[in-house]
Structure formats: C-alpha cells, structure tokens
Amino acid sequence: MIKKTAQVLTLMTLFAFAACVTVNIYFPAAQVEKAAEDIVDDIYGTDAQQPINNKDSSSLPSFLAFITPSAAHAKDVTESDIEGLKQSNSAIRGLKQNIAADHQQLIPYYNAGNIGINKSGYLELINKKGLSLPDTAAVRRLISQDNNTRKKLYAEVAASMNIPGSEIVKITNIFTEVWQKKAPAGWWIQDASGNWKKK
C-alpha cells in the first residue's frame, strides 16, 4: 500500500512538472512584423534616394496606438505600466529618428556598394572601393552608431509589447527580414548562408 501511494505521488509530481515545462510563452510575431514594417518604411521612405521626413507623419503613430492596448490587455494594468509603455513608445520614436538621420548619411554608401545589410539585420562594410581612409573611418563610425541604435530599438519594441528579453533574437530576425525585403534594388544583402548578393 505504501509502495503504491509512493508511485502515485511520483506520477503526480512528474505530471505537475511536465505541465510547468510545457507552458508556452506567447510571442506576438504579427505585431512585431507590423512594427518592423512601419519603422522600416519610415526610415527608408518612399524613395531611398530622397531625404525623408523625420517627423511622425507616417504610419508609426498608428502602430504605437495599435500596440498600446494589446500590450496592456493583461489583467490589472497599473498606471505605472501605462506610464512605462508611454516612455517606451517615446523611446521608439527617438530611436527611429536617430536611425533615419544616420540612414540619410549612409545612402550614398549603400548605392556605391560599400555597405550592405548582413544576415543579422545589421550594417556591414563590405567594400572600400572609392573610399579614402577618412571616409572609411567615418563610415565605420556611422555603421557602429546605427547598429547600436538598432539593438536599442529592438529592446524598446520588446518592452512596448511586454516581450521578455530572452525573445530579442526573434525580434531581431523579424526586423532582419524586413530590412532586407524592403531594401531598394541595387543594395547588397547577405543571405542566411553568408553570401552577399545585389538586389
């Protein structure tokens, strides 16, 4: 009898453990993709050769309004949660504008084939043709600055949607796909195997 009770308790413990392990964390892929598309459209503009307006006259405000209720529909949302969301949305706007400003300086280097979008969605110097030493140093600084801003942007997108930091890789992957898909013809992108090709 004692042996049987011990077996039942062991089985119950295993089932309880399995139930805990199989809990899936919801990842809002569609919302992240919408964010990526809105932000990348704002940065690239309708014509990558022309300067874009850094003001939020585009779709970003509608995206920010879109994520606010979805991120806050959990029970017992507090005022501090809402305040945190507002701060995050403001941070996204600022980061987007920083990337847009860098982008305007980087367009000639995209068009000349000096830089490309790598398989991780970040910028990379791939060709120094036509660049002087000071030009190369300036491009490297811009690339580093832009890539750092992108990392911060992904973290803020995660914060705005209450996505755990452990899921940043998924956000980065979605943005990578959008950066590359929306890049104009003639720009260089790196495929998943590490090969560079001209769009």
Side-chain angles (χ1 to χ4, degrees), residues 122-192:
Y122 294 103
L123 303 186
E124 193 171 319
L125 181 65
I126 56 174
N127 183 338
K128 297 179 189 175
K129 185 178 177 183
L131 298 179
S132 65
L133 282 174
D135 287 341
T136 302
V139 172
R140 286 187 190 279
R141 276 194 302 275
L142 271 172
I143 287 172
S144 176
Q145 179 176 296
D146 190 85
N147 288 340
N148 286 335
T149 308
R150 289 181 188 212
K151 286 177 188 174
K152 291 175 186 172
L153 174 67
Y154 304 154
E156 287 298 337
V157 168
S160 73
M161 297 185 195
N162 292 329
I163 298 171
S166 58
E167 302 282 11
I168 293 287
V169 172
K170 290 181 182 177
I171 293 172
T172 303
N173 291 342
I174 290 171
F175 268 86
T176 297
E177 185 179 337
V178 175
W179 286 119
Q180 292 192 345
K181 178 179 73 176
K182 291 184 176 284
W187 288 12
W188 288 84
I189 60 171
Q190 186 182 43
D191 65 24

Side-chain angles (χ1 to χ4, degrees), residues 39-137:
I39 290 167
V40 172
D41 281 344
D42 288 349
I43 289 165
Y44 282 170
T46 54
D47 181 350
Q49 312 299 325
Q50 300 297 324
I52 63 172
N53 186 348
N54 282 349
K55 292 178 184 174
D56 283 316
S57 59
S58 57
S59 53
L60 186 62
S62 61
F63 157 68
L64 294 172
F66 171 72
I67 64 169
T68 301
S70 63
H73 71 58
K75 289 181 183 177
D76 304 323
V77 175
T78 65
E79 283 184 30
S80 65
D81 292 333
I82 292 168
E83 187 57 37
L85 189 59
K86 285 179 185 173
Q87 288 173 2
S88 186
N89 290 348
S90 177
I92 289 171
R93 285 189 196 97
L95 292 166
K96 184 210 66 159
Q97 289 179 352
N98 290 343
I99 295 171
D102 290 341
H103 179 73
Q104 290 308 305
Q105 297 178 68
L106 290 165
I107 285 175
Y109 304 108
Y110 278 117
N111 293 337
N114 300 124
I115 64 173
I117 306 165
N118 68 22
K119 63 184 179 180
S120 300
Y122 294 103
L123 303 186
E124 193 171 319
L125 181 65
I126 56 174
N127 183 338
K128 297 179 189 175
K129 185 178 177 183
L131 298 179
S132 65
L133 282 174
D135 287 341
T136 302

Side-chain angles (χ1 to χ4, degrees), residues 11-26:
L11 282 172
M12 286 174 64
T13 304
L14 287 172
F15 281 128
F17 179 76
C20 291
V21 170
T22 57
V23 170
N24 290 324
I25 297 171
Y26 170 71

